[in-house]
Amino acid sequence: MNAVDLHRKLERNSGLLIFGILFVSAIGGLVQVLPSVLQDDLVTPGPGTQPYGPVQLTGRDLYIREGCSTCHSQQVRPLLAEVRRYGPYSKAGESAYDRPFLWGSKRTGPDLHRIGGKYTDVWQRMHLLDPRSVVPDSIMPGYPWLAERAADADGSIRAKMRALRRLGHPYTDADIEAAPAALAGLAEVDALVAYLQALRAPNAEAQP
């Protein structure tokens, strides 16, 4: 049976066609999933990689909630043009404490994996609340409500940290007990800015 005859047979037999589609999809899925399961680098923190503090962790949840990863990737690829624009390329061990991963692939906006320290907290805050006040041509929507809501309004930070500790994050009892105090008086925008400022190469010096 030649390729043309096989193709005709697949098209005329819906059951066989469905099986073929599922089989090919399964192969594609395994190619994507197996490396993340078997690659030790993804679960072993790289040098200088630290778990997020309570404020940064809350900011990361807000980043996910507001759909920021829809337009921004967090994966600087090992290409000269990318490294020149964004900084050192991303390494697997940097994401060991990221659940879920936010690598992404779509870049309506720039990659943010090295955004920390590039701008001041004040700039980041203004950019989140009213993007065009600092970048006139920006197409990013504003998020003014982030300044109106308390960062830990639902009081869930301790529960989040306990859950992450079960998954391997090295939070101590003292870290978890102190978490609400770290968030006291902060608005959501403050937490999100703290998360963005944490996105830098692990060994990069902190900047004001």
Side-chain angles (χ1 to χ4, degrees):
M1 181 182 294
N2 59 37
V4 174
D5 292 335
L6 179 60
H7 194 269
R8 281 203 192 99
K9 187 172 182 179
L10 279 171
E11 286 183 334
R12 292 172 181 171
N13 188 323
S14 58
L16 195 58
L17 182 61
I18 291 171
F19 173 80
I21 291 171
L22 292 175
F23 179 74
V24 172
S25 299
I27 293 173
L30 286 173
V31 168
Q32 289 184 313
V33 172
L34 283 180
S36 65
V37 173
L38 302 176
Q39 188 175 343
D40 289 339
D41 289 350
L42 291 177
V43 294
T44 304
T49 301
Q50 299 292 328
Y52 297 110
V55 179
Q56 298 164 348
L57 185 62
T58 300
R60 188 174 192 273
D61 287 343
L62 293 168
Y63 182 96
I64 294 170
R65 186 194 75 188
E66 299 298 341
C68 302
S69 57
T70 303
C71 294
H72 296 280
S73 62
Q74 286 186 27
Q75 182 182 189
V76 182
R77 300 170 181 88
L79 303 172
L80 182 60
E82 297 234 341
V83 171
R84 283 180 173 173
R85 180 177 182 185
Y86 297 119
Y89 65 85
S90 304
K91 299 175 180 64
E94 294 179 57
S95 301
Y97 295 120
D98 284 0
R99 290 183 166 86
F101 297 131
L102 296 175
W103 296 326
S105 59
K106 182 170 172 54
R107 286 178 178 167
T108 301
D111 185 274
L112 298 182
H113 203 201
R114 304 293 183 220
I115 196 68
K118 186 174 182 181
Y119 303 101
T120 66
D121 288 358
V122 173
W123 188 96
Q124 291 284 14
R125 182 186 179 93
M126 292 174 64
H127 186 244
L128 288 165
L129 301 179
D130 181 13
R132 275 153 294 285
S133 67
V134 288
V135 184
D137 295 332
S138 176
I139 61 171
M140 174 174 153
Y143 299 85
W145 55 87
L146 294 175
E148 302 166 2
R149 301 174 179 172
D152 190 32
D154 60 0
S156 63
I157 186 60
R158 284 176 176 162
K160 290 176 186 176
M161 293 176 74
R162 288 192 192 101
L164 289 171
R165 183 164 66 177
R166 293 191 190 98
L167 296 174
H169 292 221
Y171 295 126
T172 65
D173 289 338
D175 292 334
I176 295 172
E177 288 306 310
L183 286 161
L186 298 182
E188 289 184 338
V189 68
D190 300 315
L192 185 45
V193 168
Y195 170 64
L196 292 173
Q197 296 291 35
L199 298 177
R200 62 181 76 198
N203 296 319
E205 293 183 5
Q207 300 180 26

